[in-house]
Amino acid sequence: MSSELVPGADSVQRRDRKFWIAIALFGILAVVVWLTMGEGSVPLFGRRIEIRWIPLFVIGTFVFRAYIAREADKIRRGEGEAGKL
């Protein structure tokens, strides 16, 4: 569909673009963390974990939060799977 025919399509496209930019930046940040963190390890729940996995886990939670917020916004606006039926 053309964006002229659908009201609010520009704002939907803008939100999607912001989401994908955020995901790309999180990916770049994850690569930078992976390449710059040392090889050390820390004990966590009785196991030795490489220290670079800890900030990657935090970044992953931000990605998950961004995805959930995007899906919740789609549901609130009626753009989710239920809106397609």
Side-chain angles (χ1 to χ4, degrees):
M1 284 187 190
S2 174
S3 64
E4 297 95 26
L5 301 176
V6 180
D10 289 337
S11 65
V12 171
Q13 290 174 350
R14 191 176 316 121
R15 281 193 316 267
D16 281 347
R17 185 173 55 241
K18 285 181 180 181
F19 171 77
W20 288 113
I21 289 171
I23 296 300
L25 291 175
F26 283 135
I28 291 168
L29 182 60
V31 169
V32 168
V33 165
W34 186 262
L35 294 175
T36 59
M37 290 291 291
E39 296 281 330
S41 63
V42 294
L44 185 67
F45 300 117
R47 291 183 49 191
R48 303 289 298 172
I49 303 293
E50 280 189 53
I51 200 165
R52 63 173 56 157
W53 286 107
I54 296 169
L56 291 179
F57 174 77
V58 172
I59 293 168
T61 59
F62 285 128
V63 169
F64 180 70
R65 182 188 177 280
Y67 173 76
I68 293 298
R70 177 180 178 230
E71 293 302 312
D73 189 49
K74 280 184 179 179
I75 291 169
R76 274 188 234 111
R77 295 180 182 274
E79 300 168 6
E81 293 297 320
K84 292 181 182 177
L85 295 176

